[in-house]
Amino acid sequence: MRVLYYYSMFGNGDKVASILEKKGISIRKVENAKPFPRSRFWSILSGGFAASIKKKEKLKDYNKNLDEFDEVIIGSPIWNSRFSTPINTVLNDLSLKDKKVSFVLYSGSGEAPKAIARIEKEYPGSSVVVIKEPKDNSNLEKLLETL
Ligand SMILES: Cc1cc2nc3c(=O)[nH]c(=O)nc-3n(C[C@H](O)[C@H](O)[C@H](O)COP(=O)(O)O)c2cc1C
């Protein structure tokens, strides 16, 4: 059994989750305890800085029990080339040692160099898919086939 933990600020992650849910994957979306700034400009500025210092957000309570799952998929937007700060919290909270871990990352450029470097270091052997703006990506279902 597989579960997706993901975060989405602008809906791209939600699009990914809706497709993975159809494949029978359980979905657990995380949300910030305190809302991020309303404007896209301030979100990018403050989120980008917070990601660069590997900040962990305080999240609303969420289910961390992984007993029924053998694979955990982590979904994150890319902020300043890195994981989004809510996902830093998830990676810190979950006990992923005995699980297969995969990543689905979504970004404006379709690239995620610093997040990938972190995955290679901390989760070696994990599979990673990076998707350029899922909401506008006509290839989305195909790109998710590898998961
Ligand atoms: C704070 C912030 C920083 C971002 N930094 C990058 C980046 O470094 N590289 C990139 O390609 N896209 C960057 N983006 C674009 C997002 O990764 C992209 O739009 C993603 O699909 C958003 O996912 P969401 O709609 O689920 O929140 C950034 C967006 C935000 C809000």
Side-chain angles (χ1 to χ4, degrees):
M1 292 284 280
R2 303 195 283 168
V3 60
L4 169 74
Y5 282 86
Y6 82 102
Y7 175 73
S8 181
M9 184 179 266
F10 296 115
N12 287 283
D14 297 316
K15 187 79 202 280
V16 167
S18 71
I19 290 172
L20 295 183
E21 190 169 26
K22 283 189 220 144
K23 292 181 180 224
I25 295 171
S26 298
I27 306 295
R28 291 180 181 170
K29 181 178 184 177
V30 298
E31 284 179 275
N32 249 36
K34 261 198 271 167
F36 280 112
R38 246 162 200 266
S39 90
R40 201 177 176 107
F41 175 79
W42 282 112
S43 298
I44 290 175
L45 206 66
S46 59
F49 173 72
S52 76
I53 58 168
K54 234 176 159 181
K55 184 180 175 197
K56 296 183 202 81
E57 300 295 337
K58 194 168 174 0
L59 302 178
K60 287 187 187 161
D61 269 350
Y62 67 103
N63 188 346
K64 303 179 188 74
N65 187 330
L66 298 177
D67 289 352
E68 60 180 304
F69 304 109
D70 44 33
E71 179 176 352
V72 178
I73 303 170
I74 303 289
S76 179
I78 292 303
W79 288 2
N80 207 348
S81 178
R82 300 156 172 91
F83 285 109
S84 60
T85 51
I87 291 301
N88 285 336
T89 310
V90 171
L91 291 173
N92 189 60
D93 284 348
L94 298 181
S95 309
L96 295 173
K97 275 220 171 63
D98 302 321
K99 308 287 176 188
K100 179 172 183 226
V101 186
S102 306
F103 294 86
V104 54
L105 308 174
Y106 18 104
S107 72
S109 60
E111 291 176 15
K114 292 203 168 128
I116 290 174
R118 181 171 168 197
I119 291 167
E120 283 170 354
K121 196 164 161 224
E122 295 180 21
Y123 307 91
S126 303
S127 63
V128 187
V129 185
V130 189
I131 297 174
K132 184 171 175 170
E133 299 302 38
K135 278 201 295 190
D136 310 323
N137 196 321
S138 50
N139 241 348
L140 183 59
E141 305 222 1
K142 193 149 188 41
L143 291 166
L144 290 172
E145 266 171 19
T146 53
L147 277 178

